[in-house]
Amino acid sequence: MSVLEIKKYPDPVLRRKALPVENVDGALQRLIDDMIETMYAAPGIGLAAPQVGESRRVVVVHVNLNEEEHPLIVLLNPEIVEYDGKVVSEEGCLSVPGYVSSIERAAMVIVRGLDREGRPVEIEAEGLLARALQHEIDHLDGLLFVDRMSPIKREFFRKRYMRRLKEPA
Ligand code: NI
């Protein structure tokens, strides 16, 4: 397993609509293992394949905090089939380092997809897990949490972020 480089906004790979996984093969298993390693190393609670430069519909999520503990989830071709309620909470992203913002998300979701062996799975989630799943699935459609800010907040974010990118490290 290896820790991969996490692509940062405004890398164009983060804007691409990722392609569905068609073959559950050894190369895919390696990608999944590397994504898990990369998520833990960051550390983060979720990672989508475009964030490591792979435009494929693969996400890994591991919410494991005192308030909420869940097993590691690997999903191929995930789809949100049901949304319920609304909740606003702070959110950040490994591809947008140094920024958090209050983002509105569905309070509860039902997600369908395949597990890492290609078997169909359905997950009903609420709380932080629901938020993490919505955030990671957005990545597969080229969306970042900043796209869910109000236009004024987003423009303010963009200016500050780009200015910071130009500063010497
Ligand atoms: Ni993210």
Side-chain angles (χ1 to χ4, degrees):
M1 291 204 243
S2 35
V3 172
L4 306 172
E5 184 206 342
I6 297 178
K7 305 292 180 187
K8 307 289 189 326
Y9 175 88
D11 192 303
V13 73
L14 296 171
R15 290 315 198 177
R16 227 169 278 154
K17 193 171 162 71
L19 294 172
V21 171
E22 277 166 9
N23 296 308
V24 179
D25 55 15
L28 179 73
Q29 300 305 322
R30 274 194 299 282
L31 171 65
I32 291 167
D33 285 337
D34 289 347
M35 285 174 61
I36 293 167
E37 194 77 359
T38 305
M39 170 178 70
Y40 289 150
I45 61 167
L47 195 70
Q51 292 183 275
V52 293
E54 292 284 337
S55 202
R56 283 192 274 173
R57 304 187 82 79
V58 181
V59 303
V60 297
V61 173
H62 196 179
V63 174
N64 189 17
L65 306 168
N66 289 335
E67 317 87 81
E68 229 185 285
E69 288 182 47
H70 301 279
L72 169 67
I73 295 168
V74 176
L75 283 173
L76 315 176
N77 305 337
E79 262 184 275
I80 299 174
V81 295
E82 242 178 275
Y83 297 86
D84 195 36
K86 291 268 179 250
V87 61
V88 175
S89 189
E90 289 245 298
E91 209 170 304
C93 178
L94 295 174
S95 293
V96 188
Y99 286 88
V100 289
S101 182
S102 293
I103 303 289
E104 186 181 276
R105 297 278 186 186
M108 189 280 291
V109 289
I110 297 176
V111 178
R112 280 193 200 133
L114 304 173
D115 69 11
R116 65 181 298 168
E117 274 84 44
R119 293 174 299 222
V121 285
E122 185 177 281
I123 297 167
E124 194 178 316
E126 52 184 16
L128 186 56
L129 181 61
R131 178 167 296 272
L133 287 166
Q134 290 171 84
H135 177 113
E136 299 313 329
I137 292 169
D138 264 0
H139 274 298
L140 305 181
D141 293 320
L143 286 172
L144 300 171
F145 79 102
V146 297
D147 300 316
R148 297 195 178 274
M149 292 178 186
S150 70
I152 290 170
K153 260 173 90 176
R154 189 166 61 234
E155 189 50 28
F156 186 67
F157 151 77
R158 208 184 55 76
K159 279 188 185 142
R160 273 205 308 172
Y161 188 90
M162 298 316 278
R163 195 162 58 224
R164 222 169 78 172
L165 275 189
K166 283 183 208 125
E167 280 171 11

